[in-house]
Amino acid sequence: MAEKKRQAKKASSTRKEHSSKGQPAKEPPSRSSRDKGPSNIVGIGASAGGLEACERLLANMPLNTGMAFILVVHLDPTHASIMPELLQKSTKMKVLQVKDGMKVQPDSLYVIPPNKDLGILNGTLQLIDPSEAPGHRMPIDYFLRTLAEDQKERAICIILSGMGTDGTLGLRAIKGELGMVMTQEPRTAKYTGMPQSAMATGLVDYLLPPEKMADELIKYVKHANHELAPRIPALESKTADQFQKIFILLRSHTGHDFSSYKPTTIRRRIERRMNVHQIETLPNYVRYLQANPDEIEGLFKELLIGVTSFFRDPEAFEVLAKKILPQLLGEKRVKDPVRVWIPGCASGEEAYSVAIILRECMDELNRHFDVQIFATDIDPSAIDTSRAGVYPGSIALDVSPDRLKRFFVKENEHYRIKKDIREMVVFAVQNVIKDPPFTKLDLLCCRNLLIYLDSGMQKKLLPLFHYSLKPDGILFLGTSETIGEFMDLFLVVDKKWKVFRCKDSTVATKKMVEFPAMVSETNEGLTKDKKPVELRVAQMAEKVLLENFVPPSVIINERGEILYIHGRTGKYLEPAPGEASLNIFEMVREGLRLELPSAIRKVISQKREVSCKGLEIQYDGSFQTVNVTVRPVKEPEAMRGLIMVTFVDISTPEQVASAKKGRSPAKKPTSRIKQLEQELAYTRENLQSTIEELETSNEELRSTNEELHSTNEELQSANEEMESSKEELQSLNEELTTVNAELQSKNDELLEIYNDMRNLLNSIQVPTIFLDNDLCIKRFTEHATRTFNLIATDLGRPLGHIVSKLKYEKLIEDAHEVLNTLASREVEVETTDNQWYLMRILPYRTVDNIIDGVVVAFLDIHAQKMASERISQLDQRVKESRDFAENIVDTVREPLIVLDQELRVVSANRSFYNAFKVSSEETEGKYVYDLGSGQWDIPRLRELLEDIIPESRSFDNFEIAHEFPLIGHRKMVLNARRMAYEKAGQELILLAIQDVTQEKLAETSKQSQ
């Protein structure tokens, strides 16, 4: 873990609580005290296969839930993410990629960017540059921890498909703050690693497929945030009675009594279970517990939430490693053992943390001791987890790389504690409240356990801890705990991190310590007035005694504590010297001290009545023969487990005679000898019984040892099979890595193509809409808004539902026709703002040549349309001008001919055709020299056209005479002009011909007339 992350954890550790018993309850802030923000913040963790699961979740999530969603996924740090664009298709919520300092708003989805860690503080998202390599980062755990710390009971965690264990530690933190945890059902996940790791914690509230999560999430939030009335009313008598019923159900199911827990802790845990099941009242929840034994187990787990981690509060462990342990170990002899007790060890992280620090300290001092670490908890499943010593890869957030390498073995996505550290710790199921403690301890590490117990129980446990420690032993408490009024028992070593040294106050401790700590009275925290409870016990005891017509008797528990006395028992019991005590083992008179404890032990172990007859006790200067009967109490239910001891006096003949004479009988010397012989026989009997029990135990141990050897061989065989499977898995993993690399390459290629296509569509600025076979919108370019009123959330809607800007009503009909005929269609359309487009509808063909909809593209032809109209108008004018000019030319009497640069005839007027007896078909397009069978092949004309015209733009009044086959000899005057013709891109020659001969003939004819 990076240094700055460890520092951030240090800063936050004072606000966190850690114990196998859960976290301290804090009242939820009222809505009026909160900023107007999301009602709840939902942290979603996903990895491989998580995109599809998240889409299924969001597709069923309504828009106006009031919640905010933050998605943390494992992204490639070297590639840009398109996750927001992909998820926007599945939800109407705003989908945003997180930016630093972004305030969380309701009804929004935030997606983590690549190569960043994400945290949240006061509802504001913070991006953090990661310092760990990508393979060692746990971004989901990192975010969920900060979410739990920031949002407390309003934090919600959802774990979706993914490989590995990321998210496991984060969900523990969410549950520790009384948040809610939801996990994808593994059979619906593409990759089950993360969901199964979450399930293994036993803390998951809902196990659902993604499409069903939305409904349950909304129900939970609606119920949990309903604050019109408290879920559980104040602890009045009726409420306390309901709690008693719950405690009885828990004790019957689990064997553990939670009546000494703080009422607020119990109440908030029960409220959370009621929220999960949407139960409104406490009596209804009691009935639900009675009808559903699985819920009793769930509540038991809820009360024992083991929110812990390796080296929690790193500064505290630093003080232990640098300041406390070196001094403690330095004062010990090498042969002396080091004994440590860690009650409430939860899943074992704290126990292994102490073991690691001890190992490091011994290596540093170069002194090695026999270390015995006893780690206990009342949760058997937590002890099983501790014994396995296997933890998710996300512990890398709390354990330094050096310690991971030195004290752990990497197994796929998990870390296993090494054998030398594992063998330092002994795990056992133990209830510190009622089971015997470990003694002669050098270190007692009980961090954040006392804060969940009421003050009365704390006052009983602290002297017990003092009794368990050696003189100068170390008591290591949590940051929120204190030794209270027991300053005479402990010396403060470090006030900030709550490290205390045990004083040598054996006498004082003996007076205060009680074995065991648990009392039989009902929970002092739930009802301050004990008198009604004591009265009920007295009434029930009287009923039992009267039913059995008992003589002087006492009711005791299994620890020998006298709970009720009936009749005159002073003859058999007397107070022991010193501090007052009601323990029958200390009060019994001589003569009963051997038989009575043995009888009580037999009743406890065999659950049957035991009688001791003919016992002699000395009372008031005389001897009395007594029969003692010890029987277990089986009825009523509330007193089951208690023991009744009955004393019956037996009158011997000597006692009767003495009574008649009015004096006490003299004790014969032989009676004393007889008593000693009885005691000796009893001792021999006990010794023989003990020997037999020892031999039986040895036989059982030998049998157990053989079974262990057999089990060890089976485990060795299984280990070899696992090694073989591991090699196969490694080979398969290499193949999968290769396939993954190929897929990643293909993905990069597709992403590049996607970017190219996106830039292409944006660059050509062609409005384009992609429709599926139902003519619903699959996607569209940003320029498509020119023709339709489209927004991002219109994806998936039918195109016919979108308001169009086109003055064209047959688009849907044309699209259906294209789908049916697979023939493209083009139509010129005009928009309401008088813009013209060429609408082109084509079938959408996939790579596999499958028709999957249509593509509607709009080509902007407005400029061409306007230019075409202008050209049409100009052509009309030109045509009119040409017709006008041709009409003028045709009316000219002088022959005219137009030649191109190659001297081909372009056109001629009517006078030319008439004068030279030719037609237009014989003239146009012909060389001028080929006209009339070569009649215009005149040397003088060649000179004019080929020599003079190229050098000069015109010539005038050139006379030529030529014999024409059809019209005879003619004398003509030629005039020529070069003129530009822009349309053809060349110059033309206009040749005018004046027939002088014809004119003279006409003039002569006119004169003769």
Side-chain angles (χ1 to χ4, degrees):
M1 179 62 205
E3 181 62 27
K4 64 177 180 180
K5 291 186 180 179
R6 290 199 292 269
Q7 292 175 356
K9 285 174 60 60
K10 292 177 185 177
S12 66
S13 62
T14 57
R15 302 195 300 271
K16 294 186 177 181
E17 298 168 347
H18 147 53
S19 169
S20 65
K21 310 296 181 286
Q23 296 232 345
K26 297 181 180 180
E27 294 299 329
S30 63
R31 292 293 294 164
S32 60
S33 66
R34 291 176 175 267
D35 295 333
K36 291 184 179 179
S39 61
N40 295 77
I41 296 181
V42 182
I44 305 174
S47 181
L51 175 60
E52 178 186 352
C54 192
E55 289 175 338
R56 290 159 60 192
L57 167 63
L58 296 175
N60 293 275
M61 186 69 65
L63 176 60
N64 299 317
T65 63
M67 293 179 281
F69 300 85
I70 302 174
L71 175 63
V72 182
V73 293
H74 294 169
L75 297 173
D76 190 330
T78 61
H79 288 78
S81 173
I82 59 172
M83 188 74 72
E85 292 84 351
L86 297 175
L87 294 176
Q88 186 66 76
K89 302 173 184 177
S90 303
T91 179
K92 294 183 179 180
M93 290 188 293
K94 292 186 294 184
V95 182
L96 306 169
Q97 191 170 75
V98 175
K99 295 182 179 178
D100 198 22
M102 183 177 283
K103 186 74 174 179
V104 177
Q105 299 297 330
D107 303 314
S108 300
L109 172 64
Y110 300 88
V111 183
I112 188 173
N115 201 30
K116 293 288 183 181
D117 282 336
L118 180 62
I120 184 170
L121 179 65
N122 299 324
T124 301
L125 298 173
Q126 304 292 335
L127 293 176
I128 302 171
D129 293 328
S131 57
E132 300 289 340
H136 299 283
R137 291 174 52 208
M138 296 291 172
I140 301 175
D141 275 328
Y142 188 85
F143 172 72
L144 291 180
R145 282 181 169 185
T146 64
L147 178 64
E149 201 173 340
D150 190 65
Q151 296 296 309
K152 305 299 181 186
E153 74 286 343
R154 294 186 182 273
I156 295 175
C157 163
I158 296 179
I159 301 297
L160 297 178
S161 171
M163 294 186 291
T165 62
D166 197 6
T168 301
L169 297 184
L171 75 85
R172 285 184 178 273
I174 295 287
K175 287 288 289 187
E177 295 292 350
L178 298 183
M180 189 267 279
V181 174
M182 187 176 284
T183 299
Q184 182 177 0
E185 200 171 28
R187 63 182 180 84
T188 67
K190 284 189 174 181
Y191 297 90
T192 60
M194 286 170 51
Q196 287 181 340
S197 180
M199 289 174 57
T201 65
L203 303 178
V204 176
D205 295 307
Y206 298 95
L207 187 64
L208 299 167
E211 55 270 13
K212 293 185 180 180
M213 289 182 174
D215 185 48
E216 291 297 334
L217 182 60
I218 293 171
K219 288 180 182 178
Y220 171 83
V221 171
K222 182 179 180 181
H223 191 271
N225 292 342
H226 179 64
E227 297 179 355
L228 297 178
R231 194 74 62 221
I232 298 177
L235 293 177
E236 55 193 24
S237 59
K238 292 183 179 179
T239 302
D241 289 341
Q242 299 297 328
F243 274 50
Q244 297 301 318
K245 293 180 176 64
I246 293 176
F247 293 150
I248 290 173
L249 291 171
L250 284 169
R251 188 178 64 185
S252 300
H253 185 79
T254 66
H256 299 294
D257 191 347
F258 289 89
S259 59
S260 294
Y261 274 50
K262 285 185 178 178
T264 52
T265 299
I266 298 293
R267 178 174 61 83
R268 283 176 54 76
R269 295 295 189 272
I270 293 176
E271 277 187 346
R272 217 201 68 79
R273 296 303 301 177
M274 291 170 65
N275 288 335
V276 170
H277 298 291
Q278 286 94 54
I279 298 175
E280 293 292 340
T281 63
L282 191 56
N284 287 343
Y285 183 65
V286 174
R287 287 192 287 273
Y288 184 80
L289 284 172
Q290 293 172 325
N292 297 274
D294 290 342
E295 176 57 20
I296 300 178
E297 186 67 25
L299 179 58
F300 178 68
K301 291 289 186 182
E302 189 79 27
L303 296 171
L304 301 179
I305 292 177
V307 181
T308 182
S309 62
F310 283 93
F311 305 101
R312 192 177 181 90
D313 299 328
E315 292 183 6
F317 278 93
E318 191 74 13
V319 169
L320 186 67
K322 301 299 183 184
K323 181 178 178 182
I324 306 301
L325 291 181
Q327 181 180 355
L328 180 67
L329 298 179
E331 296 173 353
K332 296 183 73 66
R333 294 175 298 180
V334 176
K335 64 179 182 179
D336 293 338
V338 177
R339 293 171 60 86
V340 182
W341 181 25
I342 304 175
C345 67
S347 48
E349 288 91 334
E350 185 174 317
Y352 288 127
S353 298
V354 173
I356 288 171
I357 288 179
L358 275 169
R359 175 66 67 192
E360 291 175 339
C361 189
M362 288 189 296
D363 290 345
E364 186 174 344
L365 295 174
N366 197 22
R367 301 183 68 193
H368 295 279
F369 301 88
D370 179 17
V371 178
Q372 301 171 349
I373 300 177
F374 306 100
T376 62
D377 198 279
I378 68 173
D379 186 1
S381 62
I383 292 298
D384 291 341
T385 301
S386 303
R387 286 171 175 161
V390 179
Y391 297 95
S394 49
I395 65 169
L397 292 172
D398 306 307
V399 185
S400 67
D402 291 339
R403 282 173 170 165
L404 281 176
K405 183 179 180 181
R406 182 179 176 186
F407 300 111
F408 293 85
V409 177
K410 185 71 178 293
E411 294 183 352
N412 297 326
E413 299 295 333
H414 293 77
Y415 287 98
R416 181 184 294 275
I417 199 78
K418 283 189 175 180
K419 184 178 180 181
D420 60 330
I421 300 297
R422 173 64 186 88
E423 291 177 346
M424 294 171 64
V425 189
V426 176
F427 292 97
V429 177
Q430 184 217 37
N431 190 335
V432 68
I433 295 176
K434 69 176 183 179
D435 293 333
F438 294 90
T439 58
K440 299 181 180 180
L441 301 174
D442 296 288
L443 172 64
L444 199 160
C445 183
C446 181
R447 308 191 69 235
N448 300 318
L449 168 62
L450 300 180
I451 53 179
Y452 303 108
L453 305 176
D454 59 31
S455 58
M457 185 54 62
Q458 292 182 21
K459 292 178 181 178
K460 294 177 183 298
L461 285 180
L462 286 169
L464 184 66
F465 290 166
H466 183 273
Y467 172 82
S468 300
L469 288 165
K470 292 180 179 179
D472 295 329
I474 299 298
L475 176 64
F476 189 21
L477 299 180
T479 55
S480 301
E481 297 170 333
T482 180
I483 58 175
E485 62 189 44
F486 297 102
M487 297 297 295
D488 57 333
L489 301 182
F490 298 98
L491 177 67
V492 178
V493 177
D494 191 294
K495 183 177 181 181
K496 179 180 179 181
W497 298 111
K498 305 302 172 66
V499 181
F500 305 93
R501 188 179 300 278
C502 179
K503 294 182 179 179
D504 188 6
S505 304
T506 307
V507 176
T509 304
K510 185 175 181 181
K511 293 180 180 179
M512 290 183 290
V513 71
E514 297 183 19
F515 301 100
M518 184 65 181
V519 295
S520 60
E521 288 88 278
T522 51
N523 185 14
E524 186 179 274
L526 291 176
T527 171
K528 299 299 182 183
D529 187 4
K530 291 188 177 181
K531 292 181 180 179
V533 180
E534 293 171 354
L535 182 60
R536 288 196 294 271
V537 173
Q539 291 172 344
M540 290 186 289
E542 290 284 355
K543 181 180 178 182
V544 173
L545 296 173
L546 291 175
E547 287 177 352
N548 291 274
F549 301 100
V550 295
S553 307
V554 293
I555 300 293
I556 64 173
N557 59 20
E558 294 181 351
R559 295 175 295 278
E561 295 172 345
I562 300 174
L563 305 180
Y564 186 78
I565 301 174
H566 172 75
R568 296 178 178 272
T569 59
K571 186 185 297 186
Y572 321 105
L573 306 173
E574 65 176 345
E579 187 175 346
S581 171
L582 288 178
N583 193 290
I584 195 170
F585 301 125
E586 297 179 1
M587 297 179 63
V588 69
R589 288 183 180 275
E590 187 176 355
L592 303 179
R593 289 182 181 177
L594 294 177
E595 288 81 359
L596 182 57
S598 176
I600 292 174
R601 285 194 293 270
K602 289 182 179 179
V603 169
I604 294 174
S605 61
Q606 301 176 10
K607 304 298 182 185
R608 64 177 180 84
E609 180 179 315
V610 177
S611 296
C612 301
K613 297 182 179 180
L615 305 179
E616 287 190 348
I617 59 174
Q618 185 175 4
Y619 174 71
D620 197 18
S622 63
F623 288 89
Q624 176 65 51
T625 303
V626 179
N627 288 346
V628 180
T629 303
V630 185
R631 63 168 61 90
V633 179
K634 299 181 179 180
E635 296 293 340
E637 175 70 25
M639 295 184 63
R640 182 173 296 177
L642 301 181
I643 300 169
M644 182 170 65
V645 182
T646 306
F647 304 96
V648 179
D649 290 345
I650 303 298
S651 297
T652 63
E654 293 83 354
Q655 291 171 338
V656 173
S658 298
K660 290 180 179 180
K661 295 178 181 180
R663 60 182 178 83
S664 299
K667 184 68 176 177
K668 297 179 180 180
T670 57
S671 63
R672 180 59 178 167
I673 296 173
K674 183 179 180 180
Q675 180 183 2
L676 292 174
E677 289 176 348
Q678 289 177 349
E679 293 179 4
L680 179 60
Y682 177 80
T683 302
R684 287 175 176 173
E685 180 183 351
N686 280 348
L687 178 60
Q688 182 63 34
S689 175
T690 302
I691 292 172
E692 291 174 357
E693 291 177 1
L694 180 60
E695 290 176 351
T696 302
S697 299
N698 287 336
E699 287 293 333
E700 292 176 355
L701 286 174
R702 279 194 291 270
S703 176
T704 303
N705 188 46
E706 292 174 359
E707 292 176 2
L708 287 175
H709 277 296
S710 176
T711 303
N712 186 51
E713 292 175 357
E714 293 176 1
L715 290 175
Q716 184 65 31
S717 175
N719 185 54
E720 293 174 357
E721 294 177 1
M722 290 181 66
E723 287 293 335
S724 176
S725 299
K726 181 180 179 181
E727 294 175 358
E728 295 176 2
L729 287 173
Q730 287 176 342
S731 175
L732 179 60
N733 186 53
E734 292 174 358
E735 295 174 3
L736 289 174
T737 302
T738 303
V739 173
N740 184 60
E742 294 175 355
L743 291 175
Q744 183 62 45
S745 175
K746 179 64 69 176
N747 185 57
D748 292 342
E749 181 181 350
L750 290 174
L751 182 60
E752 184 177 355
I753 293 173
Y754 172 81
N755 290 330
D756 291 343
M757 290 299 298
R758 184 174 181 179
N759 284 280
L760 174 63
L761 292 174
N762 290 335
S763 63
I764 63 177
Q765 299 182 357
V766 175
T768 307
I769 303 175
F770 298 86
L771 307 177
D772 60 18
N773 288 325
D774 296 324
L775 301 187
C776 294
I777 300 172
K778 293 197 295 185
R779 64 186 63 85
F780 55 88
T781 63
E782 61 183 24
H783 299 288
T785 55
R786 298 176 183 175
T787 55
F788 283 83
N789 294 326
L790 291 168
I791 57 177
T793 56
D794 286 334
L795 297 179
R797 293 182 60 188
L799 183 63
H801 292 181
I802 310 299
V803 177
S804 171
K805 298 180 181 180
L806 301 177
K807 297 179 182 178
Y808 185 73
E809 300 178 354
K810 295 184 178 182
L811 189 152
I812 303 299
E813 181 180 341
D814 292 345
H816 279 297
E817 182 179 350
V818 170
L819 279 176
N820 293 331
T821 64
L822 302 183
S824 61
R825 181 174 177 80
E826 292 185 354
V827 181
E828 292 184 358
V829 295
E830 184 181 13
T831 63
T832 54
D833 53 358
N834 300 321
Q835 295 293 315
W836 282 91
Y837 293 90
L838 176 63
M839 182 180 68
R840 182 176 295 161
I841 308 176
L842 303 95
Y844 184 100
R845 296 179 183 271
T846 66
V847 176
D848 299 325
N849 200 29
I850 297 174
I851 303 302
D852 190 24
V854 296
V855 181
V856 184
F858 296 88
L859 304 178
D860 188 354
I861 61 171
H862 184 75
Q864 294 90 322
K865 190 74 174 178
M866 296 298 100
S868 177
E869 290 181 0
R870 288 194 295 271
I871 291 172
S872 297
Q873 294 174 0
L874 183 60
D875 287 345
Q876 183 63 28
R877 294 176 183 175
V878 170
K879 184 176 180 301
E880 291 175 356
S881 299
R882 185 173 64 250
D883 292 343
F884 178 75
E886 288 177 356
N887 290 331
I888 294 175
V889 169
D890 284 342
T891 58
V892 175
R893 295 180 59 189
E894 186 177 41
L896 296 175
I897 185 173
V898 178
L899 306 176
D900 60 15
Q901 292 180 344
E902 295 179 359
L903 301 181
R904 293 179 182 274
V905 177
V906 177
S907 64
N909 65 353
R910 191 179 303 165
S911 298
F912 178 86
Y913 296 137
N914 293 334
F916 295 97
K917 303 297 189 286
V918 293
S919 63
S920 60
E921 291 79 5
E922 299 172 340
T923 305
E924 292 180 359
K926 305 292 184 180
Y927 282 104
V928 65
Y929 307 124
D930 295 337
L931 296 178
S933 301
Q935 61 183 356
W936 284 89
D937 189 8
I938 306 170
R940 182 60 175 166
L941 180 60
R942 281 181 175 272
E943 179 183 356
L944 291 173
L945 296 178
E946 296 176 7
D947 298 333
I948 297 176
I949 282 296
E951 297 177 357
S952 175
R953 296 196 62 85
S954 64
F955 61 83
D956 297 314
N957 299 321
F958 276 84
E959 294 183 359
I960 62 172
H962 185 68
E963 185 71 23
F964 291 93
L966 297 178
I967 59 174
H969 183 78
R970 288 287 189 271
K971 183 180 181 180
M972 296 177 292
V973 176
L974 302 179
N975 296 290
R977 294 285 188 277
R978 284 195 306 170
M979 57 183 184
Y981 186 49
E982 294 180 357
K983 185 174 181 181
Q986 61 182 349
E987 290 187 339
L988 302 179
I989 301 172
L990 177 61
L991 180 63
I993 305 170
Q994 182 180 358
D995 191 348
V996 178
T997 303
Q998 191 65 25
E999 288 179 355
K1000 287 183 177 180
L1001 290 174
E1003 184 178 352
T1004 304
S1005 176
K1006 185 177 180 181
Q1007 291 177 355
S1008 64
Q1009 290 179 355

